[in-house]
């Protein structure tokens, strides 16, 4: 049984006051969140602060990025050892904003993925097509290529206890989304592809959807059998909206 995972990706937002109010409100509701794991991924500046307040076994700390090197002369970088030290459990890898604004290639992302696994943390590997690729019906090819690079650099075992977030780039922060049925087809295609390597790993891998998720549309996505929760950007900055998203995911999966 795959339990859904809901991730709040705060991106470059938040401050100490926001964090305290947000996590206080979240913890008041926590007992209702049955069989659903929740990750809060604040800017790395606030990881330590968030970890102090995440005193619940359904809530996990996530990092939005990591570096490849563990220590040394890399000014401005943050290592996985440091992330582990402050309680991080999940690391978002290959987000389209990192690919775009920081020129992260599939090669770099594969190295980061490998480093995250080696350090015993859980990667959330973001994959997905851009608008041009979508219009050219290349979604499946692009997703497979982004997975293939990991398979080539490591092997199918890389996907054991791993999360994939399918995030069409054109849907991120735009208010536009593919239909839930289309996302189901893509997720099934990703799972079937991994199953050609190892059925058990494919069956257990968590495949989230991300891109303009809100409390209004999340139910229709997460009711699909191969959509195992959501990666939420903008809507995760509003605590009431975020709680409604979690409740709708739980309701859609008929977990209580
Ligand atoms: P969004 O962002 O929910 O604001 O579209 C999603 C993401 O970037 O992961």
């Amino acid at each position: 049984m795959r339990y859904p995972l809901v991730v709040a990706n705060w991106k470059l937002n938040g401050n100490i006051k926001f964090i305290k109010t947000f996590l206080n409100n979240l913890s008041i509701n926590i007992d209702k969140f049955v069989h659903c794991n929740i990750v809060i991924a604040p800017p790395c500046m606030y990881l330590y602060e968030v970890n102090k307040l995440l005193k619940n076994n359904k809530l996990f700390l996530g990092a939005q990025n990591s570096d490849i090197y563990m220590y040394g002369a890399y000014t401005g970088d943050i290592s996985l050892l440091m992330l582990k030290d402050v309680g991080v459990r999940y690391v978002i890898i290959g987000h389209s904003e990192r690919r775009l604004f920081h020129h992260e290639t599939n090669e770099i992302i594969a190295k980061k993925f490998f480093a995250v696994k080696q350090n015993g943390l859980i990667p959330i590997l973001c994959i997905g097509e851009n608008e041009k690729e979508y219009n050219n019906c290349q979604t499946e090819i692009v997703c497979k290529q982004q997975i293939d690079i990991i398979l080539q650099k490591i092997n199918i075992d890389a996907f054991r206890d791993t999360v994939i977030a399918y995030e069409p780039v054109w849907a991120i922060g735009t208010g536009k989304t593919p239909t839930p049925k289309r996302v189901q087809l893509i997720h099934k295609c990703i799972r079937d592809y991994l199953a050609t390597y190892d059925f058990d790993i494919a069956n257990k891998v968590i495949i989230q959807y991300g891109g303009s998720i809100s409390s209004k549309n999340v139910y229709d996505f997460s009711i699909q059998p191969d959509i195992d929760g959501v990666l939420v950007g903008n809507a995760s900055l509003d605590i009431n909206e975020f709680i409604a998203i979690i409740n709708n995911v739980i309701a859609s999966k008929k977990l209580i």
Side-chain angles (χ1 to χ4, degrees), residues 9 11 95 97 167 171-173 211-213 231-234:
N9 176 12
K11 308 190 179 186
H95 191 281
E97 287 150 15
E167 299 206 298
I172 296 177
S212 295
I213 277 295
L231 176 48
V232 191
N234 209 24

Side-chain angles (χ1 to χ4, degrees), residues 7-9 11 92 95-97 126 165 167-169 171-177 209-214 230-237:
V7 178
N9 176 12
K11 308 190 179 186
I92 299 173
H95 191 281
S96 64
E97 287 150 15
C126 299
E167 299 206 298
V169 180
I172 296 177
T174 58
K176 292 190 275 183
T177 65
Y209 167 74
S212 295
I213 277 295
S214 70
V230 282
L231 176 48
V232 191
N234 209 24
S236 73
L237 294 169

Side-chain angles (χ1 to χ4, degrees), residues 58-98:
K58 287 174 211 153
L59 296 176
F60 299 95
L61 188 62
Q64 297 176 16
N65 180 36
S66 81
D67 293 303
I68 297 163
Y69 304 107
M70 292 308 131
Y71 46 81
Y74 300 102
T75 302
D77 284 352
I78 291 157
S79 80
L80 282 155
L81 294 177
M82 294 166 187
L83 296 180
K84 276 206 295 194
D85 206 21
V86 295
V88 165
R89 187 81 191 281
Y90 290 80
V91 185
I92 299 173
I93 297 291
H95 191 281
S96 64
E97 287 150 15
R98 301 283 323 165

Side-chain angles (χ1 to χ4, degrees), residues 22-76:
F22 188 100
L23 292 178
N24 268 342
N25 277 311
L26 196 61
S27 55
I28 292 167
N29 286 273
I30 198 78
D31 289 339
K32 289 191 270 163
F33 303 153
V34 182
H35 300 318
C36 182
N37 293 320
I38 298 149
V39 174
I40 307 294
C44 65
M45 187 71 202
Y46 297 119
L47 285 166
Y48 182 74
E49 187 67 29
V50 170
N51 192 46
K52 279 197 296 186
L53 299 168
L54 286 186
K55 294 284 167 264
N56 191 287
N57 59 7
K58 287 174 211 153
L59 296 176
F60 299 95
L61 188 62
Q64 297 176 16
N65 180 36
S66 81
D67 293 303
I68 297 163
Y69 304 107
M70 292 308 131
Y71 46 81
Y74 300 102
T75 302

Side-chain angles (χ1 to χ4, degrees), residues 128-145 166 182 186:
E129 81 285 4
N130 63 29
E131 189 147 34
K132 188 165 164 227
E133 291 158 345
Y134 171 73
N135 289 332
N136 290 337
C137 304
Q138 289 175 315
T139 299
E140 292 177 11
I141 297 170
V142 170
C143 288
K144 280 183 186 165
Q145 279 169 350
Y166 168 59
R182 178 181 158 88
I186 307 294

